[in-house]
């Protein structure tokens, strides 16, 4: 954490920017209060990048708009009902919200919007003390009525008021506590954790879309493990992502298998490390991270104890893909994300047959074809799935996958494998066999695709000869 003096210096430099000065001056001359609030103030103390600029004021929305219009190159009021007006000033995006003092009904998350009269009223309703600090402008006076600075120093997440009241008002704050713990590397205050356990059932009043968004934000942090563990430990995961606590399989004293829950968290850790090393500077890959976390969720329902005490999980890849699809649909994820995650889970065991014997070029082509645009993600997931402490076994698997990637690269250079197609397209098939569009064309296309995978490029003439031979056998009832 930055020293207080350094944080104040960063905040002062921010306040000295021309758009900030123009905004502060306009509100001050109009007789209104204005303060930078929440994330930017927190991040100044943590020496984190400051991007979103949120302000709070005693001015009502109509008045905010009046004061903002002359300064802004663009403005919007989509949040007017909640007191928020946004705009761009000299290229800087700002959002300004009237002081709030909302009230909540016990059976709904939707607040009765009430505007407050002071910044203290506004700060006490915020989620956590580290987000309940403000910098008055143009005075540059820090407002911290709930000890946010002390909690930053202690690396502690807690609420401005009683956590039971805060979480009762907005149960999603319990999930945000897990996200901030991961995002900031902080611990959640023990009393706050107790309130999370007691109020976990309240999460049921939150929409699936908001839960999805909060889970996504958690998974896109650099270290989501601690947040996921907190969701599991407090019982929240049982309600929003029950497949994860279900991975805590009972260990029979006579049966032997690794801890699937801990293994899954380790795979997630390793997938993030590989993602960041192979694609430095890229945005977090949510699809990959969901797949890493859920890749073994088919194991609880496929667990069998074999003679001798060994434990098997036959077809847990296929079962897991179906379970993941079902859960992600319930959480309202988009179709592309659901399809990609399910496919990665379905394919994540495919590689392990590679170590049993040398794959033919045909098998390598099929691996690439089946992965399609997910190939790079599959590379990362498969490598991350190696969590054995047996160094020799880990090295053997790592070297084997190195070999597979090298063969894929070589074949791609030879054949443009990523765009693998049969030697003849649908139009050529219909012309050669005098067919109209229909199932026979699809069957012929699949036949040529199998040839392409098994034998590589044949060329149009040889492909036509093989196609005519196949069609003759098929027409005679032999295929």
């Amino acid at each position: 954490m930055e020293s207080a003096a350094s944080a104040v210096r960063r905040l002062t430099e921010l306040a000295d920017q021309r758009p900030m000065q123009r905004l502060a001056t306009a509100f001050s001359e109009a007789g209104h209060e204005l303060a930078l609030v929440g994330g930017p103030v927190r991040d100044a103390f943590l020496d984190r990048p400051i991007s979103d600029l949120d302000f709070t004021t005693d001015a009502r929305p109509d008045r905010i708009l009046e004061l903002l219009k002359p300064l802004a190159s663009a403005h919007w009021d989509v949040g007017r009902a909640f007191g928020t007006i946004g705009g761009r000033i000299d290229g800087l995006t700002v959002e300004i919200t009237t002081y709030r003092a909302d009230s909540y009904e016990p059976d709904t998350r939707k607040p009765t919007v009430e505007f407050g009269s002071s910044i203290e009223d506004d700060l006490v309703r915020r989620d956590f003390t580290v987000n309940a600090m403000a910098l008055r402008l143009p005075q540059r006076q820090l407002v911290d009525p709930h000890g946010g600075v002390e909690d930053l120093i202690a690396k502690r997440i807690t609420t401005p008021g009683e956590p039971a009241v805060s979480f009762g008002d907005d149960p999603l704050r319990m999930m945000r506590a897990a996200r901030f713990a991961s995002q900031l590397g902080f611990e959640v205050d023990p009393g706050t954790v107790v309130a999370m356990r007691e109020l976990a059932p309240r999460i049921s009043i939150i929409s699936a879309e908001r839960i999805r968004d909060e889970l996504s934000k958690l998974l896109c942090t650099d270290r989501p493990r601690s947040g996921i563990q907190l969701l599991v430990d407090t019982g929240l995961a049982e309600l929003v992502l029950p497949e994860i606590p279900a991975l805590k399989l009972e260990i029979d004293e006579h049966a032997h298998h690794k801890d699937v829950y801990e293994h899954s968290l380790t795979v997630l850790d390793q997938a993030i490390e590989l993602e960041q090393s192979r694609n430095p500077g890229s945005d977090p890959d949510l699809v990959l991270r969901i797949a890493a976390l859920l890749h073994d969720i088919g194991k609880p329902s496929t667990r069998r104890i074999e003679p001798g005490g060994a434990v098997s999980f036959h077809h847990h890849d296929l079962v897991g893909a179906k379970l993941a699809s079902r859960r992600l649909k319930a959480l309202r994820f988009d179709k592309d994300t659901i399809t990609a995650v399910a496919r990665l889970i379905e394919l994540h065991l495919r590689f392990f047959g590679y170590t049993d014997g040398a794959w033919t070029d045909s098998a390598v082509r099929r691996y690439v074809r089946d992965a399609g645009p997910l190939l790079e993600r599959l590379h990362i997931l498969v490598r991350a799935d190696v969590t054995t402490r047996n160094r020799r076994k880990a090295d053997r698997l790592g070297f084997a996958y190195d070999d597979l990637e090298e063969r894929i690269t070589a074949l791609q250079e030879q054949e443009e494998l990523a765009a693998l197609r049969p030697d003849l397209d649908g139009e050529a098939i219909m012309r050669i066999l005098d067919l109209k569009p229909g199932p026979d064309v699809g069957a012929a296309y699949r036949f040529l695709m199998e040839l392409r995978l098994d034998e590589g490029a044949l060329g149009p003439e040889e492909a036509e000869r093989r196609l005519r031979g196949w069609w003759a056998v098929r027409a005679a009832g032999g295929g």
Side-chain angles (χ1 to χ4, degrees):
M1 176 178 158
E2 288 278 272
S3 68
S6 179
V8 169
R9 184 171 62 253
R10 288 190 76 200
L11 288 169
T12 299
E13 291 171 354
L14 190 61
D16 283 342
Q17 293 182 23
R18 184 169 180 269
M20 296 274 282
Q21 288 184 336
R22 293 178 66 199
L23 194 62
T25 299
F27 275 75
S28 178
E29 290 180 350
H32 289 290
E33 298 175 2
L34 184 72
L36 185 67
V37 69
V41 181
R42 176 200 68 217
D43 290 340
F45 280 93
L46 296 175
D47 194 26
R48 291 167 58 91
I50 297 173
S51 52
D52 299 330
L53 291 179
D54 297 323
F55 298 85
T56 188
T57 179
D58 61 339
R60 297 302 170 96
D62 289 344
R63 185 60 171 147
I64 295 173
L65 194 56
E66 286 179 24
L67 294 171
L68 184 62
K69 271 185 177 180
L71 307 176
S73 58
H75 58 81
W76 50 90
D77 62 355
V78 291
R80 183 195 287 262
F82 296 94
T84 300
I85 304 294
R88 287 189 67 79
I89 305 175
D90 298 339
L92 199 65
T93 300
V94 301
E95 287 196 345
I96 309 168
T97 302
T98 304
Y99 295 154
R100 297 264 297 272
D102 302 338
S103 60
Y104 295 80
E105 295 297 326
D107 59 345
T108 179
R109 155 62 190 110
K110 295 180 179 179
T112 300
V113 177
E114 298 177 4
F115 295 134
S117 58
S118 71
I119 194 169
E120 288 77 16
D121 288 344
D122 183 85
L123 294 178
V124 74
R125 73 172 187 84
R126 293 181 178 263
D127 52 7
F128 305 110
T129 59
V130 295
N131 297 329
M133 300 181 289
L135 183 72
R136 289 188 188 274
L137 299 171
Q139 303 93 322
R140 301 176 186 172
Q141 174 192 9
L142 184 66
V143 184
D144 181 20
H146 305 289
V149 172
E150 287 84 352
D151 287 334
L152 284 174
I153 293 170
K155 296 187 175 182
R156 178 172 55 227
I157 299 292
T158 191
T159 56
E162 286 295 321
V165 174
S166 180
F167 297 153
D169 285 345
D170 183 0
L172 193 66
R173 288 173 176 169
M174 295 185 285
M175 294 189 64
R176 283 207 293 269
R179 189 239 301 179
F180 278 115
S182 286
Q183 181 177 315
L184 303 177
F186 286 12
E187 294 288 333
V188 179
D189 174 75
T192 304
V193 173
V194 169
M196 291 171 68
R197 288 197 183 100
E198 293 176 348
L199 291 170
R202 287 277 292 164
I203 201 70
S204 63
I205 70 170
I206 300 298
S207 70
E209 291 83 359
R210 295 185 71 220
I211 290 172
R212 171 203 65 205
D213 291 347
E214 200 56 52
L215 278 173
S216 297
K217 290 175 183 177
L218 167 58
L219 285 170
C220 286
T221 64
D222 287 342
R223 297 172 297 276
R225 173 192 278 258
S226 62
I228 294 166
Q229 289 174 318
L230 182 60
L231 293 180
V232 171
D233 293 345
T234 56
L236 282 160
E238 184 66 42
L239 301 167
V240 301
L241 199 61
E243 292 79 6
I244 300 307
L247 294 173
K248 289 189 169 186
L249 302 176
E250 291 185 14
I251 306 296
D252 186 294
E253 63 177 331
H254 302 296
H256 309 289
H257 65 80
K258 68 178 67 175
D259 184 325
V260 183
Y261 171 67
E262 286 297 327
H263 165 75
S264 297
L265 293 178
T266 301
V267 171
L268 176 60
D269 289 341
Q270 295 184 167
I272 292 171
E273 290 177 8
L274 287 167
E275 171 198 330
Q276 293 173 341
S277 65
R278 291 173 72 124
N279 306 295
S282 297
D283 291 335
D285 188 338
L286 180 61
V287 166
L288 172 66
R289 295 176 184 209
I290 296 173
L293 180 63
L294 302 185
H295 77 286
D296 273 348
I297 61 173
K299 282 190 171 180
S301 60
T302 59
R303 179 175 181 260
R304 300 288 183 273
I305 299 177
E306 306 291 349
V311 177
S312 67
F313 303 97
H314 296 307
H315 306 303
H316 77 268
D317 45 347
L318 303 179
V319 173
K322 292 178 181 178
L323 292 174
S325 292
R326 191 180 308 159
R327 177 55 52 196
L328 296 181
K329 285 177 184 175
L331 289 171
R332 306 292 193 272
F333 276 90
D334 62 276
K335 184 178 179 180
D336 287 346
T337 296
I338 295 170
T339 301
V341 169
R343 189 61 169 156
L344 285 169
I345 294 173
E346 182 181 341
L347 293 174
H348 83 275
L349 291 182
R350 185 79 61 86
F351 158 73
F352 291 97
Y354 189 82
T355 60
D356 297 335
W359 279 8
T360 63
D361 285 351
S362 171
V364 175
R365 292 189 192 99
R366 290 174 190 278
Y367 188 78
V368 174
R369 181 197 64 174
D370 291 347
L374 300 173
L375 182 61
E376 175 60 20
R377 285 167 167 153
L378 185 60
H379 287 335
I380 294 174
L381 178 59
V382 171
R383 287 182 180 275
D385 197 23
V386 178
T387 62
T388 177
R389 295 180 182 178
N390 183 323
R391 190 71 262 165
R392 182 175 295 179
K393 181 178 179 182
D395 287 344
R396 178 172 59 83
L397 290 170
F399 294 148
Y401 208 87
D402 289 343
D403 182 67
L404 176 57
E405 285 203 66
E406 288 172 3
R407 290 182 65 191
I408 289 171
T409 299
L411 284 171
Q412 284 175 327
E413 291 173 352
Q414 295 170 17
E415 306 176 3
E416 297 183 0
L417 190 55
L420 199 61
R421 297 288 186 275
D423 293 276
L424 302 173
D425 62 16
E427 290 185 5
I429 291 170
M430 289 188 286
R431 175 179 52 78
I432 292 167
L433 300 181
D434 192 24
L435 295 174
K436 294 181 179 179
D440 286 339
V441 179
Y445 188 92
R446 288 190 294 275
F447 165 73
L448 291 172
M449 189 67 197
E450 292 298 316
L451 282 179
R452 179 75 169 83
L453 290 169
D454 288 339
E455 302 182 32
L458 300 175
E461 292 183 3
E462 177 63 14
E464 180 176 343
R465 188 183 72 78
R466 298 283 195 95
L467 176 63
R468 289 184 182 279
W470 170 82
W471 182 249
V473 173
R474 181 182 174 90

